[in-house]
Amino acid sequence: MGKKQQMKYKTLLLSSNPEKYVSFQISDQTPFEITMDFEVAWRLINRNLHSYANIVLDAKSFPAEVIKDFVSSLRKEIACVYPIVTIIAPNSAEKEFMSCGADKVVENFSRFDLSLPVSMCDLEKLSPMAFIEFLIQTIKLKDKMLFDHLINVKTYTTVLAKLCLERGLITDKELEFLSIASFFHDIGKLFIPDAVIRKPGKLTNEEFDIIKMHTLHGASLFEKILRYEPKNQLVYTSFFVAKYHHEKFDGSGYPCKLKGEEIPLSARIVAIADVFDALTTDRYYRSAYSPSEAIDIMKSCANHFDPEIFNIFLNNIDYFIK
Ligand SMILES: [Fe+2]
Ligand SMILES: [Fe+2]
């Protein structure tokens, strides 16, 4: 195993008086960038948000209202927690800047303030597994029925993917990624109002359109992670599965009406596991079908599924019946 590459976090300073801070740039501590332009700063942060640990705004350079607007947009739109935002301003202005989302107000800023924030050092040491566990527990607390569905779909997907692996359709690595990604296939449902998700009766067309959005909500979550980890295959698999698990092989699915092999293989596998679990468990609007009833229903709409994967599923149905 190679040594983990240490990320070099930068500080971005906004000041109309850059000469004053130019000596900071030769500091061997955190790399330092200076701009006098809010639009440039916004573009830099948007393009590479995760490379900044500190954003420093010199309030002696710009009107307080401009700084407050910038900081509150930053907090609301792209970076609610990190980076640390420091304002160089008199102590008397502390309250007004802190209330719009700044973390610190300092009268003077020195190169010693450029080191990585202590909290970020600790965050770097936190295992990714701790984050995943946090996410899983959040889903469990929010919606136990959704949580149970995610566990079942993960179990069925893993079995089906293993059968695909034995037939050379996917690799070991793809099996591993798919097993984890399938757990998060419906994560976008956390964004759907409970009144729609838990409605006991038949959904109206408008309500069904709202439910359909869960594929795009889930995809946009993973898209955000891809901004940090553009080459991460697990996140890519999770993105494809979240977005396309309701596409149907005959092109009648959603959200993109993809057809046949336009649908990523990962999503074609999860689609079968998902429908089987949905049919064999109680829903808010109906009770569970037996496994044999579920299989009959699935056979009656077999053109929704990848024929090769669906045959593997049917020929090995004993693996899926608890
Ligand atoms: Fe779904
Ligand atoms: Fe599902």
Side-chain angles (χ1 to χ4, degrees):
M1 282 268 284
K3 207 175 163 195
K4 196 185 166 201
Q5 211 186 342
Q6 201 62 42
M7 173 93 185
K8 265 278 185 200
Y9 292 101
K10 296 182 278 189
T11 289
L12 178 64
L13 174 84
L14 268 132
S15 173
S16 63
N17 192 8
E19 313 79 52
K20 197 174 152 191
Y21 300 99
V22 102
S23 65
F24 289 14
Q25 282 177 306
I26 52 165
S27 158
D28 57 356
Q29 298 187 39
T30 320
F32 193 64
E33 287 173 1
I34 307 175
T35 177
M36 298 166 65
D37 187 322
F38 278 86
E39 269 182 39
V40 171
W42 193 254
R43 227 175 17 247
L44 287 170
I45 296 164
N46 248 304
R47 196 184 302 153
N48 216 351
L49 169 68
H50 57 282
S51 67
Y52 294 102
N54 290 294
I55 293 177
V56 183
L57 294 107
D58 184 356
K60 292 163 193 158
S61 299
F62 310 103
E65 285 311 311
V66 175
I67 293 193
K68 285 197 282 183
D69 278 355
F70 181 84
V71 175
S72 57
S73 304
L74 179 74
R75 286 299 184 229
K76 278 187 203 136
E77 288 172 39
I78 54 173
C80 59
V81 178
Y82 275 103
I84 296 283
V85 173
T86 304
I87 314 285
I88 307 169
N91 276 338
S92 56
E94 187 174 27
K95 212 168 165 187
E96 66 172 316
F97 287 122
M98 298 287 277
S99 67
C100 67
D103 298 291
K104 278 194 278 185
V105 175
V106 295
E107 295 232 24
N108 295 300
F109 188 74
S110 77
R111 68 164 60 182
F112 301 108
D113 295 313
L114 290 175
S115 53
L116 200 61
V118 177
S119 53
M120 197 173 244
C121 297
D122 268 16
L123 199 61
E124 281 201 312
K125 286 183 221 143
L126 200 59
S127 123
M129 293 310 291
F131 273 115
I132 293 183
E133 189 54 31
F134 172 80
L135 186 55
I136 291 170
Q137 293 308 322
T138 306
I139 298 169
K140 194 172 177 180
L141 285 171
K142 168 78 169 63
D143 188 338
K144 179 69 168 59
M145 200 177 221
L146 173 63
F147 178 81
D148 291 343
H149 171 63
L150 299 179
I151 290 279
N152 291 343
V153 171
K154 178 187 182 292
T155 306
Y156 295 142
T157 299
T158 308
V159 174
L160 190 51
K162 190 142 191 297
L163 295 165
C164 292
L165 171 76
E166 286 162 8
R167 286 153 184 80
L169 299 176
I170 59 169
T171 64
D172 275 319
K173 249 187 170 168
E174 285 166 336
L175 163 68
E176 227 176 280
F177 292 150
L178 186 51
S179 174
I180 297 170
S182 63
F183 178 83
F184 296 106
H185 76 284
D186 268 343
I187 193 163
K189 284 197 175 159
L190 295 178
F191 299 86
I192 308 296
D194 284 353
V196 179
I197 289 271
R198 298 179 190 203
K199 185 176 171 180
K202 198 175 180 299
L203 294 175
T204 64
N205 287 344
E206 291 74 28
E207 288 165 339
F208 191 49
D209 284 343
I210 294 172
I211 294 264
K212 285 176 174 176
M213 289 298 292
H214 79 277
T215 51
L216 299 177
H217 291 314
S220 81
L221 273 185
F222 291 111
E223 234 165 2
K224 287 194 175 91
I225 306 177
L226 284 170
R227 287 179 62 185
Y228 289 81
E229 295 282 339
K231 292 182 185 144
N232 189 306
Q233 286 307 307
L234 173 59
V235 183
Y236 263 107
T237 309
S238 304
F239 168 81
F240 285 137
V241 166
K243 186 163 183 179
Y244 300 122
H245 69 276
H246 285 287
E247 298 292 352
K248 292 174 181 166
F249 207 74
D250 63 0
S252 65
Y254 65 87
C256 301
K257 293 197 183 309
L258 297 186
K259 205 172 182 176
E261 293 185 4
E262 289 171 356
I263 308 165
L265 179 58
S266 52
R268 282 181 263 151
I269 295 172
V270 173
I272 294 172
D274 185 31
V275 172
F276 184 67
D277 183 62
L279 291 170
T280 51
T281 48
D282 290 332
R283 307 271 104 182
Y284 289 108
Y285 50 91
R286 63 145 172 83
S287 4
Y289 293 104
S290 70
S292 66
E293 286 170 326
I295 291 158
D296 286 343
I297 294 170
M298 289 174 79
K299 280 181 180 167
S300 72
C301 54
N303 50 350
H304 291 178
F305 309 114
D306 178 318
E308 190 176 9
I309 315 287
F310 192 45
N311 266 332
I312 296 173
F313 169 75
L314 293 177
N315 292 337
N316 294 278
I317 198 67
D318 291 349
Y319 286 92
F320 299 89
I321 298 173
K322 292 168 190 167

